[in-house]
């Protein structure tokens, strides 16, 4: 795809660009937002800018794309491009914004690398940029067309029909189109973007997985986020300003601007092989949507739903998980609670106790994926039919404690360290990398 001359130049300069890419992307965003402050207020996530994750994601994507062009010149990294395009489509990113990005990105490259950026080097990297940009524009246009969205009209008003408190920190919002028209189709695992106007006038956007498929509406579940996930940190920090606003000000009857559903990490229900869902904290939302779909369609597939949380009281959709696995003919739930289970929290199918939510600081697993001493003691809980469909363990998730069937397809969602550890365990259990899918709540920094 790259011309031979540009490929030679990119190959020679990739180490230098990669080595400085963090500095380049940081300077790029400074230049972009100085020239276009409205982009930071109304398009980019101020929380991700503040914590640096967006800069890391951009740097990784550019470097990965260039490396792929060199190593696989006859193909494109379509999986990476598709993931980015789904995010862009849900945000309403427009084709005319790509030249703006190019202008400030190349100004940052020139400033950081100085005289090393000759005309030849600039032309080669310009070719890389536009190959990536045009590929994204094409995919984004196709996605919007499939969603029935006219260019520039991604937002649609939805009325908040109901709010349900799942836990102290998680609320579910049932959204119905304000115009009374049908809701767009969705697939289990997809997300929508929600735009709210904050007190300072900024129209910030966040993306939330669909946690169910109610008739005539969309359902999202939102965890109140504090700065960097620190307990007691202010919810008005950029990291949690939208979730904090929704929790504090949206109780029913309000109108929110919402995108159509997008997302490429969706349940493939055209097969018969085993499924494994592994989640931590609020990462359970797409998994609950997938389980709901399987139960509604009467699936007979072998299903393992594994979840890690601090305690039963902080586990979102806990009773839903028990109910759904109980409805399926061959499903079990494997639960890990860091703080264990008190007698009054006995977990049984359809126990009727309050649901819970929240996110372990470790995401249910330390970086190394190993359990502390004394953890992992299993307590089977019988379902309504007497079958041990739910097993509860104290400690942190360890999938080596369960038998993963051959041919399993796995879906992961939770903090990145959690998903890295789970992915490592699944690979060791013989699950091919191609069968392990993951959803990231935030910029994709890779596993």
């Amino acid at each position: 795809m790259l011309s031979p001359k540009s490929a030679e130049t990119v190959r020679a300069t990739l180490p230098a660009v990669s080595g400085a890419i963090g500095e380049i992307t940081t300077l790029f965003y400074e230049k972009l937002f100085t020239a276009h402050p409205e982009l930071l207020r109304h398009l980019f996530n101020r929380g991700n800018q503040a914590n640096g994750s967006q800069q890391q994601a951009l740097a990784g994507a550019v470097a990965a794309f260039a490396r792929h062009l060199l190593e696989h010149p006859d193909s494109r990294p379509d999986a990476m491009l598709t993931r980015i395009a789904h995010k862009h489509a849900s945000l309403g990113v427009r084709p005319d914004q790509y030249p703006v990005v190019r202008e400030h990105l190349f100004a940052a490259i020139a400033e950081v690398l100085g005289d090393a950026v000759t005309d030849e080097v600039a032309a080669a990297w310009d070719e890389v940029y536009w190959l990536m940009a045009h590929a994204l524009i094409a995919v984004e246009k196709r996605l919007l067309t499939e969603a029935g969205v006219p260019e520039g009209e991604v937002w649609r008003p939805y009325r908040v029909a109901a709010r349900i408190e799942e836990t102290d920190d998680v609320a579910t919002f049932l959204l119905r189109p304000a115009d009374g028209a049908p809701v767009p189709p969705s697939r289990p695992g997809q997300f929508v973007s929600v735009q709210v106007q904050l007190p300072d006038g900024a129209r910030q956007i966040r993306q939330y997985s669909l946690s169910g498929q109610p008739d005539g509406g969309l359902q999202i579940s939102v965890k109140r986020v504090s700065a960097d996930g620190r307990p007691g940190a202010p919810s008005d920090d950029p990291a949690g300003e939208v979730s904090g606003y929704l929790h504090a000000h949206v109780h029913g009857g309000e109108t929110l601007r919402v995108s159509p559903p997008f997302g490429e990490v969706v349940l493939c229900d055209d097969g018969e092989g085993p499924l494994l869902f592994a989640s931590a904290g609020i990462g359970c939302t797409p998994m609950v949507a997938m389980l709901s779909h399987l139960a509604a369609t009467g699936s007979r597939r072998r299903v393992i739903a594994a979840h890690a949380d601090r305690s039963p009281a902080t586990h979102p959709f806990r009773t839903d998980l028990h109910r759904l696995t109980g409805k399926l003919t061959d499903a079990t739930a494997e639960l890990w609670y860091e703080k264990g289970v008190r007698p009054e929290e006995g977990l049984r199918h359809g126990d009727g106790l309050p649901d819970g939510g929240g996110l372990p600081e470790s995401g249910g697993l330390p970086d190394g994926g190993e359990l502390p001493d004394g953890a992992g003691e299993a307590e089977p809980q019988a379902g309504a039919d007497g079958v041990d469909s739910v097993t509860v363990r104290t400690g942190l998730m360890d999938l080596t404690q369960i038998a993963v069937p051959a041919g399993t397809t796995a879906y992961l969602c939770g903090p990145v360290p959690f998903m890295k550890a789970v992915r490592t365990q699944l690979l060791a259990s013989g699950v091919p990398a191609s069968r392990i899918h993951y959803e990231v709540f935030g910029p994709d920094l890779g596993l």
Side-chain angles (χ1 to χ4, degrees):
M1 296 173 66
L2 268 179
S3 65
K5 182 178 180 181
S6 291
E8 181 180 347
T9 301
V10 170
R11 191 182 307 278
T13 56
L14 181 58
V17 173
S18 297
I21 196 71
E23 185 180 356
I24 290 170
T25 53
T26 298
L27 182 58
F28 153 68
Y29 281 115
E30 291 176 2
K31 290 179 176 293
L32 178 67
F33 296 145
T34 297
H36 299 276
E38 73 280 2
L39 293 179
L40 180 58
R41 288 173 57 79
H42 306 318
L43 179 61
F44 284 86
N45 182 320
R46 296 193 293 198
N48 292 338
Q49 288 297 320
N51 65 27
S53 59
Q54 184 62 58
Q55 292 90 324
Q56 293 179 55
L58 174 63
V62 172
F65 185 80
R67 195 172 298 112
H68 185 96
L69 293 180
L70 297 176
E71 296 175 356
H72 309 281
D74 296 325
S75 67
R76 299 184 312 193
D78 285 336
M80 181 186 77
L81 293 172
T82 300
R83 181 177 286 258
I84 295 172
H86 273 274
K87 299 282 188 181
H88 283 186
S90 78
L91 293 169
V93 171
R94 305 189 311 268
D96 63 350
Q97 291 170 327
Y98 281 89
V100 176
V101 169
R102 187 264 175 215
E103 174 188 353
H104 297 287
L105 178 60
F106 276 69
I109 292 173
E111 185 170 329
V112 171
L113 298 182
D115 294 341
V117 184
T118 62
D119 290 344
E120 182 179 339
V121 170
W125 282 94
D126 189 60
E127 191 174 337
V128 171
Y129 176 82
W130 283 114
L131 282 171
M132 185 173 184
H134 286 312
L136 288 171
I137 290 170
V139 178
E140 289 155 19
K141 181 178 181 179
R142 174 178 59 79
L143 292 174
L144 292 171
T145 299
E146 291 173 353
V149 177
E151 186 174 331
E153 298 182 21
V154 69
W155 302 111
R156 180 180 176 187
Y158 279 72
R159 182 177 62 85
V160 180
R163 169 174 168 159
I164 302 168
E165 302 300 323
E166 305 290 353
T167 75
D168 290 345
D169 290 325
V170 177
T172 290
F173 299 90
L174 176 60
L175 312 174
R176 299 196 184 279
D179 58 8
V183 295
S186 64
R187 298 179 64 185
Q190 290 191 307
F191 57 83
V192 294
S193 286
V194 176
Q195 185 187 70
V196 300
Q197 184 163 333
L198 299 172
D200 67 352
R203 297 191 299 273
Q204 281 284 284
I205 304 168
R206 298 295 185 270
Q207 292 159 330
Y208 299 107
S209 290
L210 298 174
S211 56
Q213 295 178 300
D215 291 339
L218 300 173
Q219 177 181 305
I220 60 172
S221 299
V222 180
K223 180 179 184 288
R224 180 168 35 220
V225 178
S226 59
D228 297 327
R230 298 190 304 271
S235 62
D236 60 351
D237 182 277
E241 56 185 351
V242 174
S243 66
Y245 179 90
L246 293 172
H247 273 261
H249 301 291
V250 178
H251 301 281
E254 299 84 357
T255 298
L256 299 174
R257 284 158 58 86
V258 182
S259 78
F262 291 100
E264 88 291 359
V265 183
V266 296
L267 178 64
C268 295
D269 56 1
D270 56 353
E272 297 298 328
L275 296 169
L276 184 147
F277 304 121
S279 59
I282 196 62
C284 67
T285 49
M287 309 308 184
V288 168
M290 293 182 187
L291 282 170
S292 296
H293 175 79
L294 292 170
T297 56
S299 174
R300 303 185 67 82
R301 300 173 74 169
R302 172 73 176 106
V303 177
I304 299 172
H307 182 78
D309 228 302
R310 291 185 186 277
S311 71
T314 62
H315 177 177
F317 299 102
R318 177 163 57 86
T319 53
D320 295 81
L321 177 62
H322 300 168
R323 174 178 57 82
L324 293 169
T325 53
K327 287 182 66 175
L328 291 164
T329 60
D330 191 11
T332 55
E334 307 286 343
L335 307 178
W336 282 264
Y337 294 122
E338 292 186 51
K339 296 182 179 180
V341 180
R342 298 189 300 271
E344 63 269 24
E345 294 176 320
L347 300 178
R348 292 178 177 84
H349 173 67
D351 61 7
L353 293 175
D355 290 340
L359 190 63
E361 290 182 30
S362 65
L365 260 179
D367 289 346
E370 296 182 358
L371 292 167
D373 292 340
E377 298 176 358
E379 300 177 15
Q381 301 291 338
D385 56 2
V387 178
D388 289 342
S389 60
V390 179
T391 300
V392 182
R393 296 175 175 86
T394 299
L396 307 176
M397 183 182 285
D398 180 6
L399 293 183
T400 65
Q401 296 181 332
I402 66 176
V404 179
T408 290
T409 298
Y411 295 87
L412 319 180
C413 190
V416 171
F418 163 83
M419 291 194 291
K420 284 183 176 179
V422 168
R423 182 175 183 272
T424 297
Q425 294 175 358
L426 290 172
L427 291 171
S429 297
V431 180
S434 61
R435 288 183 171 271
I436 303 174
H437 310 281
Y438 68 94
E439 182 61 278
V440 177
F441 289 169
D444 187 2
L445 303 181
L447 296 187

